[in-house]
Amino acid sequence: MRRQIVLLHRVAGLAMALFLVIAGLTGSLLVWYEEIDAAINPGWLRVAVPADGRPALPPLQLRAAVLEHYPQAASNYLMLHGQPGRAAIFWLQAPPPAVDTVFVDPYTGAVLGARRHGAIGDGLHNLAPFIYELHQSLALGRTGVLLLGIVALLWTIDCFAGAWLTFPAPARHPAQAGWRAWLRRWRPAWRVRQPASTYQRHYDLHRAGGLWPWALLFVFAWSSVAFNLPAVYQPVMDALFARQPEPRTLAPRRAAAQPQPGLDWPAALARARHLMAGESHRHGFTVIEESSLRYDPRSASFHYRVRSDLDVNEKRGNTSLVFDANDGRQLGSFRPTGAAAGDTVTSWLLTLHLAHRWGLPYRLAVTGLGLVIAMLSLTGVYLWWKKRRAREQRR
């Protein structure tokens, strides 16, 4: 059995190595996405806060300014919460200009800049989005998303195979029996020997480096399956936990898309706030801040999100509701925690993956974990190469 698991670990590790190196290095950078993007594009993302304390313009007014600048475009996603000194960001759908992301001064409504998300060929100003595309899909679109989803599934399985291989061999003498003796024999797997040869050092780094952060490695592996391969993630989670219907399934697609909602955006936002107030009272949660309002032409529905005390994500709200874009009728709601165990687990997994919890210390930890993931892949390839070379020399 051990030989079979060794083979599984070896084959999976070699198949995943390049992908995990890319995912680990880009992931360690994406923890600082906003800082990197603002450093490269300060004129687009940073704005001066008025000295007179003037508040930012309402989001709907900023949206109107963007659509006036791009009259043939559609903007179906409205961010409702901004940060002082940061530009407001709008995403355009099918605009005539070759841009899909627009940066706006929230205090004046002036358009500061625009770009095609992830198009690194357009210039360095797209570096941060390009890193994101590499991490999510290898910049290969849906094919890359599927490929990385398969890698994530292999990684999840290999987390258990790799941990099992660190366990000591079965006891051969009565003195080695019992869990205390087993732990003593397992203890060397957690150490990096000093002094040691190059091979021993790589071996210890690979073994101990996979054991110490094992729980977090599993969290990132399985949450990657959630992001990239939901067709596998959801059935597994449904077999283990109860969950609510996903917000995107609450409004079925129409035979033909409806480009414009029946309710205008101010009326839709007022309706969303009214419905969320009812949800808050009914389920006993507190709304902390608004997050976004999105119109889906395929189902002619609005999706409204807030951050509430049910959210574990400290940056993006996922407490949401869906209502008909023509008559305002509520179609459903979603609570990230407290309503169904499966949704609570998923909320924690995705939040930890995004490093949107526990502030700077956890962001630093995730940065380090990305480097550890790359290190584990590289040391694994090195160990395989050394063993293969030794076998060839013996022949």
Side-chain angles (χ1 to χ4, degrees):
M1 183 177 178
R2 182 177 180 85
R3 180 174 296 179
Q4 293 171 339
I5 294 179
V6 167
L7 180 61
L8 169 65
H9 184 62
R10 181 186 303 146
V11 172
L14 291 173
M16 298 185 300
L18 178 60
F19 301 106
L20 290 186
V21 168
I22 294 173
L25 295 180
T26 54
S28 66
L29 292 173
L30 285 178
V31 174
W32 314 97
Y33 179 95
E34 293 181 357
E35 290 82 356
I36 293 172
D37 207 13
I40 296 173
N41 305 297
W44 290 1
L45 286 124
R46 292 174 179 160
V47 296
V49 179
D52 58 4
R54 184 171 72 255
L57 297 173
L60 286 172
Q61 187 173 338
L62 296 176
R63 178 179 179 272
V66 170
L67 293 179
E68 183 178 354
H69 197 87
Y70 298 96
Q72 302 302 317
S75 179
N76 293 330
Y77 184 89
L78 180 66
M79 291 183 64
L80 297 172
H81 176 73
Q83 300 177 13
R86 299 279 295 184
I89 303 176
F90 289 84
W91 288 270
L92 304 182
Q93 286 73 45
V99 297
D100 55 20
T101 312
V102 181
F103 304 90
V104 181
D105 188 324
Y107 303 103
T108 66
V111 174
L112 304 174
R115 68 184 176 196
R116 287 191 302 157
H117 182 87
I120 192 63
D122 291 352
L124 190 62
H125 58 264
N126 259 321
L127 179 60
F130 179 69
I131 293 172
Y132 173 83
E133 293 298 326
L134 272 179
H135 184 78
Q136 183 196 38
S137 65
L138 302 174
L140 296 176
R142 298 181 67 87
T143 300
V145 170
L146 176 61
L147 184 58
L148 285 182
I150 296 171
V151 169
L153 184 59
L154 283 175
W155 183 19
T156 303
I157 297 170
D158 194 49
C159 280
F160 293 95
W164 190 89
L165 290 175
T166 69
F167 295 164
R172 295 185 178 182
H173 305 287
Q176 295 177 329
W179 65 270
R180 292 180 184 273
W182 187 89
L183 287 176
R184 282 195 299 271
R185 289 184 288 118
W186 192 32
R187 190 178 304 161
W190 297 76
R191 297 174 179 171
V192 177
R193 288 168 285 187
Q194 292 293 345
S197 66
T198 302
Y199 178 85
Q200 289 173 331
R201 188 173 295 110
H202 280 78
Y203 180 83
D204 289 350
L205 283 172
H206 188 76
R207 184 173 60 174
L211 279 176
W212 283 103
W214 186 90
L216 206 51
L217 288 171
F218 172 73
V219 164
F220 273 74
W222 187 231
S223 58
S224 297
V225 177
F227 278 120
N228 285 53
L229 205 60
V232 173
Y233 177 84
Q234 289 297 358
V236 172
M237 295 297 286
D238 288 348
L240 299 173
F241 306 104
R243 70 180 177 100
Q244 307 162 88
E246 292 185 51
R248 62 183 176 82
T249 66
L250 295 172
R253 288 191 178 189
R254 298 191 168 201
Q258 180 180 316
Q260 297 297 329
L263 296 172
D264 62 23
W265 280 76
L269 182 57
R271 179 61 176 166
R273 288 168 173 167
H274 174 74
L275 292 175
M276 186 59 76
E279 287 290 305
S280 172
H281 176 75
R282 188 176 306 113
H283 298 291
F285 62 83
T286 301
V287 174
I288 299 172
E289 64 188 18
E290 293 181 299
S291 292
S292 64
L293 179 66
R294 178 176 65 88
Y295 173 63
D296 182 5
R298 299 167 300 178
S299 60
S301 62
F302 277 106
H303 297 242
Y304 177 61
R305 289 189 176 191
V306 301
R307 187 165 70 88
S308 75
D309 54 4
L310 297 179
D311 280 283
V312 296
N313 192 317
E314 297 172 343
K315 190 173 181 180
R316 300 177 187 172
N318 201 34
T319 305
S320 55
L321 57 82
V322 182
F323 60 97
D324 190 283
N326 296 314
D327 58 22
R329 173 173 46 92
Q330 182 169 332
L331 302 174
S333 63
F334 179 85
R335 285 168 283 157
T337 63
D343 297 318
T344 300
V345 172
T346 297
S347 294
W348 274 103
L349 285 173
L350 302 188
T351 297
L352 292 176
H353 189 115
L354 295 169
H356 288 173
R357 183 81 180 184
W358 301 320
L360 181 61
Y362 184 68
R363 293 175 74 191
L364 291 171
V366 172
T367 300
L369 186 73
L371 300 177
V372 167
I373 291 169
M375 180 273 292
L376 291 173
S377 296
L378 293 174
T379 53
V381 171
Y382 172 82
L383 295 173
W384 165 80
W385 176 72
K386 290 291 287 185
K387 289 180 179 179
R388 183 173 182 272
R389 191 176 175 188
R391 286 194 298 269
E392 290 175 350
Q393 290 174 349
R394 285 197 298 271
R395 291 196 194 101

